[in-house]
Amino acid sequence: MSVRFGTQQVGDVTVFYREAGPADAPVLLLLHGFPTSGHMFRDLMPALADRYRVIAPDLPGFGNTKAPPRGSFDYSFDKLAEVIGGFVDALGLARYALYIFDYGAPTGLRLAMRHPERVSAIITQNGNAYEEGLSKDWGPWQTYWRDPSPQNREICRASLTDEAIRFQYQHGAPAGLVSPDGYTLDTFYMHRPGAQDIQLDLVLSYRTNVALYPAFQRYFREHRPPLLAVWGKNDPFFIPPGAEAYRRDLPLAEIHFLDTGHFALETHHAEIAERMRDFLHRNGVGG
């Protein structure tokens, strides 16, 4: 099944997106994380496109989406959710299952809280909504949240280096199974003019996501979306207790740990696709 590429204007943002599958099929909205783009779904989308309309936009500040520069655009998670909400409206997506990963989790959960009637199910792949899911490696970012000084901002720049990006892909993943294409592309994006300062703005804005965790959890309790967690158990940033915590608010949540790292799709896309198809079928999403 071929993947199609397009753009959608949302205000002053030109959202680039990938799409596959029949136009009348149930929709899966795939939301990527830091520091990547919809490219991370390149293997997953064809594996689901026979039964679903699979759509993966690039968030503002990432990939091939074109947004205004810093100073004329607010690079915050509220703004990311506003733009993706506009994208969903522009495409006329009245009902969809959410796939949330990393930064895509707080973005997608803002959409879910705003329009709970639209969400048929949630698949979270290392997409966090609980404080116990944050590892000790978040220390420098948490210091920056508490004291957003220039010095603390510069310390966070270490997360944006080529080495740090490569580490995200390779740590905890089976040796020899992670293609260099993903992290090579992401390091290219990070070297674009202004990219690092945009990312540092989002690092600071991440504190608003943690502040919203109680609201996300209330949404789970009140609306009970079917939820599947497929989690790279060796992720050094979003650790397994973050996946297990979903059962506190969603007792029927299905949780599966994979022997890989943060970017689980790099090594386990076939297994994730299989689990998604079974989960969605049993919950009435698709045939």
Side-chain angles (χ1 to χ4, degrees):
M1 185 73 67
S2 62
V3 177
R4 303 177 296 280
F5 306 92
T7 59
Q8 175 62 53
Q9 197 68 29
V10 180
D12 52 3
V13 178
T14 304
V15 178
F16 175 86
Y17 66 99
R18 294 162 169 79
E19 180 175 357
D24 60 350
V27 175
L28 305 182
L29 181 62
L30 312 179
L31 298 180
H32 70 82
F34 165 85
T36 187
S37 65
H39 176 260
M40 68 169 281
F41 299 115
R42 65 196 179 279
D43 295 322
L44 182 68
M45 293 179 72
L48 297 169
D50 63 323
R51 189 175 297 176
Y52 298 98
R53 181 185 178 192
V54 193
I55 302 171
D58 289 357
L59 300 176
F62 297 84
N64 289 293
T65 285
K66 293 182 172 61
R70 290 180 71 241
S72 56
F73 187 85
D74 177 24
Y75 284 94
S76 69
F77 281 88
D78 284 342
K79 190 66 173 180
L80 298 191
E82 178 186 318
V83 170
I84 297 304
F87 171 79
V88 166
D89 291 343
L91 266 61
L93 307 181
R95 185 80 167 159
Y96 48 82
L98 277 170
Y99 186 111
I100 54 175
F101 164 74
D102 191 271
Y103 278 17
T107 304
L109 292 175
R110 278 172 168 80
L111 267 61
M113 289 197 303
R114 199 168 298 154
H115 288 289
E117 76 283 357
R118 294 181 177 179
V119 178
S120 58
I122 296 175
I123 299 93
T124 174
Q125 184 250 298
N126 300 73
N128 197 55
Y130 296 86
E131 287 203 39
E132 52 263 59
L134 302 175
S135 76
K136 59 179 175 53
D137 288 348
W138 285 78
W141 288 26
Q142 291 166 324
T143 299
Y144 182 36
W145 301 343
R146 292 189 297 269
D147 176 17
S149 66
Q151 294 84 357
N152 287 334
R153 182 180 176 91
E154 283 304 306
I155 290 170
C156 292
R157 202 177 291 273
S159 301
L160 312 179
T161 65
D162 295 359
E163 294 76 15
I165 292 171
R166 187 163 55 249
F167 173 85
Q168 284 195 55
Y169 276 80
Q170 293 181 334
H171 180 85
L177 294 187
V178 175
S179 166
D181 297 332
Y183 60 77
T184 300
L185 181 61
D186 290 353
T187 56
F188 167 80
Y189 288 147
M190 195 63 71
H191 284 280
R192 293 185 294 190
Q196 289 204 2
D197 280 312
I198 285 171
Q199 294 303 324
L200 290 172
D201 288 351
L202 288 170
V203 168
L204 182 59
S205 180
Y206 202 94
R207 62 184 175 177
T208 67
N209 301 331
V210 179
L212 278 175
Y213 282 176
F216 295 159
Q217 294 157 20
R218 185 165 58 250
Y219 157 76
F220 298 145
R221 292 192 299 272
E222 291 178 356
H223 297 282
R224 300 284 174 173
L227 184 136
L228 169 68
V230 279
W231 211 271
K233 68 179 182 179
N234 306 321
D235 188 337
F237 310 107
F238 295 119
I239 54 179
E244 294 163 342
Y246 279 100
R247 283 210 183 106
R248 190 162 67 233
D249 297 303
L250 293 169
L252 298 180
E254 301 179 26
I255 300 169
H256 300 278
F257 291 109
L258 306 170
D259 190 13
T260 191
H262 184 63
F263 281 100
L265 286 175
E266 294 294 311
T267 55
H268 286 68
H269 77 272
E271 182 174 346
I272 290 172
E274 183 179 351
R275 290 194 180 278
M276 287 177 65
R277 292 168 75 96
D278 174 64
F279 164 77
L280 292 168
H281 174 73
R282 285 187 286 103
N283 284 281
V285 183

